[in-house]
Amino acid sequence: MSTTQSVNESIGKGYAALGRLGQKRIISIGALVAVLAAFSVIVAVQHGFTLFLQRIFDGLSNGFIYAAMAMALVLIYKATTVVNFAQGEMAMFGTFIAYVFGHSLGIPTPLAIILAMLASALGAAGIERVLIRPFDPRNHLAVTIVTLGLFLILNSLAGVIWAYDNRAFPSPFPGRNRSFSVFGANLEWANLFTWLTVLAAVLLVSLLLSRTKIGLAFRSVSNSLESSELLGIHIGRTLQFGWALAAAVGTLAGTMIARTTLLEPNFMGRVLIYSFAAATLGGLDSLGGAVVAGIVIGLVQTMSGGYIGFIGSDLAPTVALVVIVGVLLVRPSGLFGSKRVERV
Amino acid sequence: MLHVDGLHASYGPIEVLHGVDFHVDVGEVVVILGANGAGKTTTLRAICQMIDTKGSIQLGGETINGRSTTEIARRGVAHVPQGRGTLTDLSVEDNLLAGAYTRKDGEVRADIDRWFTTFPRLQERRDQHAGSLSGGEQQMLAVARALMSRPKLLLLDEPSLGLAPLIVKSLFAQFAQMNQTDGLTILVVEQNANIALDIAHRAYVLEAGQTVLTGTADELRHDDAVRKAYLGY
Amino acid sequence: MALVTLKQGTPAHRAYVVGAWALAAIVLIYVIFAYRWGFAPGSIDKAFRLTQINDVICYAVAILGLNLVIGFSGQLSLGHSAFVGLGAYTTIILVADHHWSYLATVPVSAALCFVIGLVVGLPALRIRGLYLAVVTLSVAYVFPTLVVKYDSLTGGPNGKKPARDTGKMNPPSWMPFSNAGRLASPLWVYCILVVIATALFLLVRNFMKSRPGRALLAVRDNQTSAAVSGINLPLYKALTFGASAAIGGIAGSMLMINRPFASDVQFGLPLAIFLVVGLVAGGAGTISGAIPGALIYVFVPYFMSAWTTDQRGMPPGIKQVTKPLFDWLQGRQGAGSIAGVFFGVGLLIFVFVLPGGFIDGIRRLRSKVVQVIPNPSWLRELHGSANPPSTSHSPSSGGDVTQAAPVVATVRSRVAKPVSVKKAINLRGKTT
């Protein structure tokens, strides 16, 4: 028994030591920035600045997508304190809807995307009403398993309807395949527009949350269920709003990345892993944190894959996993999250 | 306005209230006294249907058992819970706006200004997170937020808890004034019997989940048992 | 009220328990002789159907392992596909490249997965609930990418299988079916798998009744009050995660014994989620729930995709209802994945209607027929009769108490009920 105790104690001490590393937010952020900066300087000197800048651009293009997906995850986490494992598949389904609108009905792509966002918002509102609301919002495991069920249903249904062929998703932006040069590095117009679109979406969501009545209700509910009930706020409808908003943002992210990957029922799997990493790094309940961390993860993915030989593109998901585990061990509330994290 | 008859309430399998009867008329201040664990907080939670109840609770002549907490709040019951229940991540001003969530009229701004005048400390801190306020300030905020909904009935759960005596006095002076000038109906649960009886019209004594004594504030103040148990002289 | 009421410890109750075990043994043995003598129903390829039954055994073991983590210690792991895959690749690599015999690789898989599980499980002490789910889901996603990355070892996307006769499973001559032709090998595999699986099921069952097992249940049901009662066992939790991974690894090895072929797509995220589906459908927190869970996992997709091309095998009655659906599916390219939709819908139905899973449903039905009145052995010992005392017994001396105490502990462990997913979390959700 004493061996058990000493092992237990040493495990505890180890965690305490790890925890102390990440206790101060400023120090954690500072350490992260320092590591990234040092790495940037080294590789920029070694391999040339143009290549470095090119990789920054590539990384940003991925990073903004992860930022949008992470934002969707955080929206649902804030509302229901549940990680929506079906978020990626909802985005995939929404992207397919946009594809059908554009391809089969001949609607111009930007309009098709907006319509698909509306459709997925409606769909998510329905899902919330039928599948999520019957459960006590405090019953996290049941809700999590429901999201797993949704994952399966949406993924397989897309397979049944659209099969597993790769489809090209049209770019919604003008200037197809045209790019311009910044200090010798190529930047596609479409990528620039993607960044701006995601930024606009982030701005819109934060305005929606800070300036509107439903946004106030959303913040109130995510702060305290009980107090919100006492204020006469309809909890169910507010959570429904969160689901709808998250689904719309997810669909936007899906259509933005489908342009560069290719569209098939599993295409969001990879994006979801990076978005998990981003949401964890940012702190699951911080919208701003999710956006910043999404961009960081995009950069880390491109840089580590590009400059560190054995990682390449194959091991990039492993890097995401390492980031998730590392953050949770050292600073469980992420870089920007509030302290109350361990809920289940 | 509020009629409670034979109220039983339980947390899971454990029954806490075993027959509570009282009523609050329009324009009254009613206080419920009782020791720790007598069921005072549970009574207020039962009125808002935050727990399972049996027996009848009537609000304005209508039975409200089984309604949702949200709906009861929308019928004009504002509850200031023990521990204040402020929305700690929201700013002071957003807390007040959230208090007015159910209102559709255009006078929300004017009301915010009114409570800022009443509680100048809140105005100084209007952009701070509610979580960063001191206990007294949070209590003021909780009361102001509850009043933002322009309630018909205000439920106060131990508003004096953890506050300095001076703050308690000014807070209760505010309650008395609101009752007199605005005709606000108040049901307050208190352990600080002295100050609560000062502003109350009538009072009830709760013991082990049952109402055991009732009368006007003066009657209770001069009741020997109450004096010994709750007033301390 | 139940039709039959049995008192624990009476001869009737003993006969009931022995009878149930005997029935299970007869069913298991029946399979061998049914195939040997041609009793097997239907006109399908017998060797193929037997291989499917063997699959069920393997996946039942995998679900059993997952249950240790989800059902018994209440942590949501979505990464067990990786452990199953690790076990499978360990076996296939050792057999194909190093010419081991299959059985010799099983302990190696178990040990390897145990160590890796421990490494994943140590952070799990600190990472609870949702975070653990996120981490393990990422593990499940990453595993196939690692398989592809190290393709010189694993065969990558082309898969890996041993040369034709390496370590082939042929029954020894003393077995009654050694000359059963094509059926001989799968029948022998069946026997081996049944033995391994039975051993593991008994092991887990006894573990859950042991001291650390009960500590785990306490931690699952209420972390805070368990800690307050002095149960704070990071080591046990990590060991449980390791053991669960080891069982997953053995399941992987068993899969390879049955079908010696491994590829990256077999052990990806879908398997991880399907294992959770099987677990919830069978009954989280029940040991026997792994079997219905595995049956569903193996046979539902099989029949679903069979029916999308040929509806003749469909049971009458169901056929009329689902005809439009399968007509629509017929000839569609992705029709096979309709099983995934059914799994998802089934998972939702279980969470909504029968959160205790299949086994909970069976137990409810059974309680209408047979009811067992508890009459624990320590009471019987104290009174020297099979009748429970009419008044409560208070021990007369201190010596009595110390004697009774360990027995009380075993009795209490029998009360462990299947956990409904809803309840388990309601109890634990309040900690911050």
Side-chain angles (χ1 to χ4, degrees):
Chain A
M1 208 55 210
S2 62
T3 3
T4 319
Q5 267 173 4
S6 62
V7 171
N8 279 345
E9 269 173 29
S10 48
I11 294 174
K13 274 182 198 153
Y15 282 131
L18 276 176
R20 273 196 297 279
L21 277 179
Q23 228 162 26
K24 286 267 190 296
R25 172 173 302 170
I26 296 295
I27 296 178
S28 318
I29 296 176
L32 184 71
V33 170
V35 169
L36 292 181
F39 181 82
S40 310
V41 170
I42 292 172
V43 295
V45 169
Q46 254 180 5
H47 302 272
F49 181 69
T50 311
L51 182 62
F52 177 70
L53 197 61
Q54 187 67 56
R55 296 231 153 104
I56 291 264
F57 289 160
D58 296 347
L60 283 178
S61 301
N62 284 330
F64 275 103
I65 303 293
Y66 303 153
M69 274 307 288
M71 188 164 77
L73 286 171
V74 167
L75 276 173
I76 292 205
Y77 182 83
K78 274 176 89 80
T80 54
T81 60
V82 159
V83 174
N84 181 9
F85 288 103
Q87 196 75 59
E89 305 313 293
M90 283 163 68
M92 175 274 294
F93 216 82
T95 309
F96 264 111
I97 292 174
Y99 176 81
V100 169
F101 281 159
H103 194 259
S104 311
L105 304 180
I107 299 171
T109 310
L111 187 62
I113 290 177
I114 291 172
L115 287 177
M117 285 168 71
L118 285 177
S120 30
L122 276 179
I127 286 172
E128 193 280 337
R129 182 70 194 83
V130 177
L131 297 179
I132 308 291
R133 203 176 297 180
F135 290 101
D136 182 350
R138 297 163 191 91
N139 185 355
H140 298 147
L141 185 56
V143 178
T144 306
I145 288 188
V146 168
T147 68
L148 282 180
L150 273 175
F151 178 102
L152 274 184
I153 294 174
L154 291 175
N155 186 287
S156 314
L157 199 59
V160 172
I161 301 177
W162 293 293
Y164 293 90
D165 306 327
N166 288 325
R167 292 154 199 256
F169 191 85
S171 165
F173 303 116
R176 176 187 301 246
N177 291 333
R178 262 183 289 160
S179 54
F180 59 97
S181 169
V182 186
F183 299 114
N186 268 340
L187 178 56
E188 259 186 68
W189 280 105
N191 282 344
L192 185 65
F193 284 128
T194 302
W195 306 355
L196 294 176
T197 309
V198 172
L199 279 180
V202 170
L203 197 70
L204 207 64
V205 168
S206 55
L207 280 179
L208 202 59
L209 291 187
S210 63
R211 293 292 152 85
T212 64
K213 202 166 176 178
I214 184 80
L216 179 68
F218 180 86
R219 284 183 292 140
S220 172
V221 168
S222 60
N223 192 186
S224 162
L225 272 180
E226 198 165 81
S227 293
S228 305
E229 277 180 321
L230 288 177
L231 295 175
I233 294 170
H234 291 292
I235 305 294
R237 276 181 226 168
T238 310
L239 297 185
Q240 199 169 27
F241 161 78
W243 275 78
L245 191 59
V249 171
T251 295
L252 180 69
T255 53
M256 292 289 118
I257 197 159
R259 183 177 63 78
T260 57
T261 55
L262 276 173
L263 183 56
E264 55 100 21
N266 292 321
F267 90 106
M268 283 305 278
R270 188 172 255 247
V271 178
L272 191 67
I273 298 296
Y274 295 120
S275 311
F276 275 148
T280 319
L281 179 64
L284 263 178
D285 58 356
S286 161
L287 278 176
V291 173
V292 173
I295 293 167
V296 170
I297 294 285
L299 288 172
V300 167
Q301 180 209 349
T302 316
M303 294 290 166
S304 60
Y307 285 115
I308 305 174
F310 76 93
I311 293 181
S313 65
D314 294 335
L315 284 190
T318 315
V319 173
L321 174 64
V322 169
V323 168
I324 294 177
V325 173
V327 170
L328 289 178
L329 284 183
V330 176
R331 197 179 157 77
S333 53
L335 290 180
F336 302 98
S338 53
K339 273 283 177 195
R340 30 147 217 184
V341 276
E342 287 189 8
R343 299 225 197 177
V344 170
Chain B
M1 154 159 270
L2 179 72
H3 284 266
V4 173
D5 270 315
L7 177 64
H8 290 250
S10 42
Y11 292 102
I14 300 151
E15 195 178 85
V16 182
L17 300 183
H18 327 279
V20 171
D21 313 284
F22 64 92
H23 66 95
V24 183
D25 291 331
V26 176
E28 265 192 322
V29 177
V30 172
V31 60
I32 297 180
L33 303 174
N36 278 339
K40 304 186 300 289
T41 296
T42 308
T43 306
L44 292 194
R45 290 174 67 90
I47 293 170
C48 288
Q49 295 295 307
M50 293 160 85
I51 49 171
D52 300 333
T53 58
K54 273 183 286 184
S56 121
I57 307 171
Q58 287 190 316
L59 183 69
E62 231 180 303
T63 306
I64 56 170
N65 298 58
R67 311 258 176 178
S68 73
T69 305
T70 299
E71 199 181 326
I72 290 165
R74 286 177 166 257
R75 280 164 185 253
V77 177
H79 185 162
V80 180
Q82 198 171 6
R84 300 159 193 128
T86 47
L87 301 163
T88 46
D89 293 348
L90 271 58
S91 71
V92 168
E93 194 168 348
D94 281 345
N95 263 278
L96 295 180
L97 283 171
Y101 182 78
T102 52
R103 281 172 55 180
K104 299 227 162 22
D105 57 279
E107 296 165 29
V108 173
R109 276 285 145 199
D111 272 18
I112 289 184
D113 288 340
R114 177 181 169 195
W115 299 118
F116 275 161
T117 332
T118 315
F119 301 112
R121 291 297 289 274
L122 294 184
Q123 182 157 29
E124 289 167 28
R125 303 178 191 283
R126 61 192 295 168
D127 292 327
Q128 278 187 22
H129 280 197
S132 68
L133 300 186
S134 74
E137 289 162 351
Q138 288 210 28
Q139 189 70 49
M140 290 173 201
L141 177 59
V143 171
R145 190 187 61 181
L147 293 170
M148 281 301 295
S149 65
R150 293 203 174 163
K152 295 184 190 123
L153 173 65
L154 179 65
L155 307 180
L156 295 166
D157 196 348
E158 304 240 4
S160 75
L161 192 78
L163 298 186
L166 270 180
I167 298 178
V168 173
K169 255 188 196 156
S170 76
L171 207 56
F172 274 79
Q174 286 290 346
F175 297 150
Q177 205 201 341
M178 284 166 211
N179 173 251
Q180 279 153 21
T181 55
D182 304 339
L184 179 65
T185 313
I186 301 177
L187 174 63
V188 54
V189 148
E190 241 325 323
Q191 288 206 40
N192 189 340
N194 259 320
I195 192 154
L197 286 175
D198 281 346
I199 68 162
H201 299 113
R202 288 187 304 113
Y204 292 86
V205 176
L206 211 59
E207 244 169 49
Q210 282 175 314
T211 31
V212 292
L213 201 62
T214 174
T216 63
D218 276 341
E219 281 165 12
L220 283 193
R221 201 194 302 277
H222 297 109
D223 185 279
D224 280 345
V226 172
R227 220 178 56 204
K228 278 196 189 118
Y230 301 109
L231 300 176
Y233 57 88
Chain C
M1 201 49 209
L3 291 175
V4 187
T5 311
L6 296 174
K7 195 174 288 168
Q8 200 184 346
T10 55
H13 175 252
R14 239 172 267 143
Y16 167 72
V17 173
V18 171
W21 280 103
L23 191 67
I26 288 171
V27 168
L28 287 176
I29 295 169
Y30 168 79
V31 173
I32 300 172
F33 290 98
Y35 278 89
R36 177 78 182 87
W37 293 330
F39 288 164
S43 58
I44 32 86
D45 180 350
K46 285 183 187 126
F48 173 69
R49 182 53 45 88
L50 198 54
T51 313
Q52 280 187 319
I53 292 176
N54 290 346
D55 273 341
V56 170
I57 300 171
C58 304
Y59 287 115
V61 169
I63 294 174
L64 176 78
L66 185 60
N67 213 344
L68 266 184
V69 172
I70 297 186
F72 294 127
S73 55
Q75 300 168 298
L76 187 54
S77 164
L78 302 175
H80 264 59
S81 59
F83 297 123
V84 177
L86 189 63
Y89 273 103
T90 309
T91 293
I92 209 79
I93 289 169
L94 285 176
V95 169
D97 298 349
H98 304 276
H99 309 291
W100 288 41
S101 83
Y102 280 98
L103 283 179
T105 65
V106 174
V108 181
S109 302
L112 186 66
C113 289
F114 180 77
V115 173
I116 302 284
L118 214 55
V119 172
V120 178
L122 274 175
L125 299 177
R126 186 164 152 133
I127 303 166
R128 296 213 313 265
L130 287 175
Y131 286 101
L132 184 66
V134 170
V135 171
T136 49
L137 183 107
S138 313
V139 171
Y141 184 83
V142 162
F143 181 76
T145 67
L146 292 179
V147 168
V148 173
K149 169 83 180 172
Y150 298 105
D151 55 353
S152 59
L153 198 60
T154 62
N158 296 328
K160 190 170 185 95
K161 59 180 174 188
R164 221 170 157 58
D165 282 329
T166 317
K168 195 159 185 271
M169 282 292 180
N170 279 324
S173 53
W174 49 266
M175 286 303 279
F177 43 76
S178 55
N179 51 0
R182 281 184 61 235
L183 281 179
S185 178
L187 275 172
W188 176 233
V189 168
Y190 170 82
C191 293
I192 293 170
L193 296 185
V194 164
V195 169
I196 301 178
T198 310
L200 288 172
F201 271 80
L202 289 178
L203 195 74
V204 170
R205 176 171 167 271
N206 289 339
F207 171 74
M208 289 325 295
K209 292 184 176 181
S210 70
R211 196 185 148 85
R214 278 178 284 120
L216 270 182
L217 289 181
V219 172
R220 173 196 75 188
D221 288 342
N222 193 329
Q223 194 134 11
T224 316
S225 64
V228 169
S229 324
I231 301 173
N232 182 16
L233 302 165
L235 186 64
Y236 282 139
K237 272 176 106 177
L239 287 178
T240 310
F241 207 96
S244 147
I247 296 176
I250 294 175
S253 294
M254 290 163 70
L255 277 171
M256 289 304 111
I257 293 176
N258 188 34
R259 299 175 194 254
F261 176 76
S263 74
D264 59 330
V265 289
Q266 267 175 293
F267 304 108
L269 192 52
L271 176 62
I273 296 181
F274 283 135
L275 287 180
V276 175
V277 178
L279 177 77
V280 173
T286 66
I287 286 169
S288 44
I291 295 161
L295 278 170
I296 292 171
Y297 175 65
V298 172
F299 284 110
V300 169
Y302 170 71
F303 283 116
M304 285 288 166
S305 59
W307 292 339
T308 54
T309 50
D310 181 5
Q311 295 181 35
R312 271 175 304 177
M314 212 182 282
I318 296 181
K319 194 170 181 172
Q320 281 72 23
V321 181
T322 54
K323 195 172 185 325
L325 173 68
F326 282 98
D327 280 349
W328 177 72
L329 287 171
Q330 201 142 24
R332 290 192 81 89
Q333 235 190 324
S337 55
I338 191 71
V341 179
F342 274 82
F343 270 132
V345 173
L347 183 65
L348 296 183
I349 290 175
F350 269 109
V351 176
F352 273 85
V353 181
L354 201 61
F358 205 76
I359 289 295
D360 188 38
I362 288 183
R363 283 186 189 167
R364 278 193 222 171
L365 280 182
R366 190 184 60 185
S367 70
K368 293 209 165 76
V369 183
V370 181
Q371 189 186 27
V372 176
I373 295 174
N375 181 19
S377 53
W378 57 277
L379 269 185
R380 295 199 295 272
E381 275 163 27
L382 287 172
H383 290 270
S385 80
N387 296 321
S390 49
T391 55
S392 69
H393 171 81
S394 55
S396 47
S397 72
D400 234 338
V401 179
T402 37
Q403 266 184 354
V407 201
V408 176
T410 40
V411 171
R412 215 180 287 144
S413 74
R414 289 217 181 119
V415 191
K417 275 188 278 185
V419 55
S420 86
V421 176
K422 283 183 181 176
K423 257 190 206 151
I425 287 313
N426 267 346
L427 286 169
R428 300 185 304 113
K430 298 287 155 62
T431 48
T432 26

